[in-house]
Amino acid sequence: MKAVILLSGGLDSSTVLYQAKADGYECYALSFNYQQRHLRELEAAAKIAQAAGVAAHQTVEFDLKRWGGSALTDDNIDLPCDRTLAEMSATIPITYVPARNTIFLSFALAYGEAIGADRIYIGVNALDYSGYPDCRPDYIVAMQSVFRLGTKQGREGNPITINTPLIDLKKTDIIQLGNSLGVPWEHTWSCYGGEAEACGVCDACRLRLAAFQALGLTDPISYAKR
């Protein structure tokens, strides 16, 4: 059995990769260089893929910076920092990249059908305070219909399944799952800041640090500010 894993190198996608391994799949990891501010995450993705012993790891390159529209793809838009969880959940944040997961899943679908994969794993999480529209259950349901209708494999009755093992989990639950699967957190990267050291103040860092703290655990990566 083959599965394509969308791997950013973050806490969620790394846990999903290890879950796919535990589910018995031969894993083909797919990462993306879309000229994001935090290209540092691709170093983490490479380390996680190697640690997990994937069958293959590819990085697809394209440029979403030419359009911008997000703090992750436009250097003129400041990253939100030092926000409370309530502030993070109030609106869809400026770190939302227009249609990013739709683009990612389209690449994964093409790759998956080409290699005869059964599943695509993606680490979307509906309970994440960021509230991204392309991380919600109704979006995944809609994309599953696209997978069924838009491919030869789907039309012949064997559509590739989108697997979202984290979609209903809290961040603390994800860390506990990752611990049980042996995810090497020291190789992961969540920060949006794009520096050599995690900033500790962007939304991604604050969510991650809060979850480790709630569990009484120490996040093993280095932060400029905790």
Side-chain angles (χ1 to χ4, degrees), residues 40 44 47-48 183-189 208 219-222:
R40 167 66 176 78
K47 290 179 181 178
I48 291 294
V183 177
W185 302 125
E186 67 274 13
H187 295 324
T188 62
W189 186 263
R208 174 177 172 141
D219 189 339
I221 72 169
S222 177

Side-chain angles (χ1 to χ4, degrees), residues 93-108:
I94 196 61
T95 50
Y96 162 70
V97 179
R100 183 177 62 178
N101 279 349
T102 302
I103 296 167
F104 288 0
L105 283 168
S106 296
F107 275 110

